[in-house]
Amino acid sequence: MERLKSILLVDDDDTTNLVNSFFIRQLDSTLKVHMVRNGREAIEFLQSASRKEDMPCLMMLDLNMSIMSGWEFLDVYSEKFYDQLKEDVVIVMLTGMDLDDNTMAMSHPSVVDMIQKPLSDIKFRALVTKHFFSD
């Protein structure tokens, strides 16, 4: 995977993060997978990435989290990071069945795709192919 070097999983459910990292590592064991539990930790992670090479290429973001939700994260991300990272970071929402959330998330300029929970190896492969290997 040439363009996809690191992934940031943002979800307050540790089990979800572990399962997602399992599917990701099955696809490519050399990928760096970072996990944080809420939007605030994701912002801190991005702020600590001092070089462009330290930024994740893909962020998989849950919407409903404690401390800082996915929505709140997207507001801060849009203000502080979007212009600088829009060409380099793909943000994908991990979502449940709430159709209103799905519609709102897909209308956000930072969000490029949405995956229904739970993630699977087939869904992850399709996501990577679509956003990192298509022209």
Side-chain angles (χ1 to χ4, degrees), residues 76-90:
V76 175
Y77 180 88
S78 295
E79 183 181 311
K80 293 187 176 189
F81 299 101
Y82 179 72
D83 288 338
Q84 166 190 349
L85 300 177
K86 65 183 171 189
E87 301 297 322
D88 301 312
V89 178
V90 172

Side-chain angles (χ1 to χ4, degrees), residues 27 40-41 52 57 77 96 103 110 121:
L27 183 60
R40 185 178 71 204
E41 289 180 9
K52 197 173 194 174
C57 302
Y77 180 88
T103 302
S110 300
D121 57 341

Side-chain angles (χ1 to χ4, degrees), residues 25-40:
R25 287 191 174 110
Q26 273 192 320
L27 183 60
D28 185 342
S29 62
T30 65
L31 284 173
K32 294 179 186 172
V33 179
H34 306 278
M35 295 180 264
V36 296
R37 301 197 70 219
N38 57 64
R40 185 178 71 204

Side-chain angles (χ1 to χ4, degrees), residues 5 17 63 99:
K5 294 182 171 77
N17 278 335
L63 286 175
L99 296 177

Side-chain angles (χ1 to χ4, degrees), residues 14-29:
D14 291 332
T15 302
T16 298
N17 278 335
L18 288 173
V19 168
N20 289 347
S21 68
F22 172 78
F23 287 125
I24 292 164
R25 287 191 174 110
Q26 273 192 320
L27 183 60
D28 185 342
S29 62

Side-chain angles (χ1 to χ4, degrees), residues 6-10 32-59 73 77 81 85 89:
S6 68
I7 297 172
L8 179 61
L9 302 176
V10 186
K32 294 179 186 172
V33 179
H34 306 278
M35 295 180 264
V36 296
R37 301 197 70 219
N38 57 64
R40 185 178 71 204
E41 289 180 9
I43 294 297
E44 290 169 359
F45 181 91
L46 294 176
Q47 288 172 330
S48 70
S50 57
R51 300 174 306 157
K52 197 173 194 174
E53 299 84 43
D54 296 331
M55 287 290 173
C57 302
L58 172 63
M59 291 179 54
F73 167 83
Y77 180 88
F81 299 101
L85 300 177
V89 178

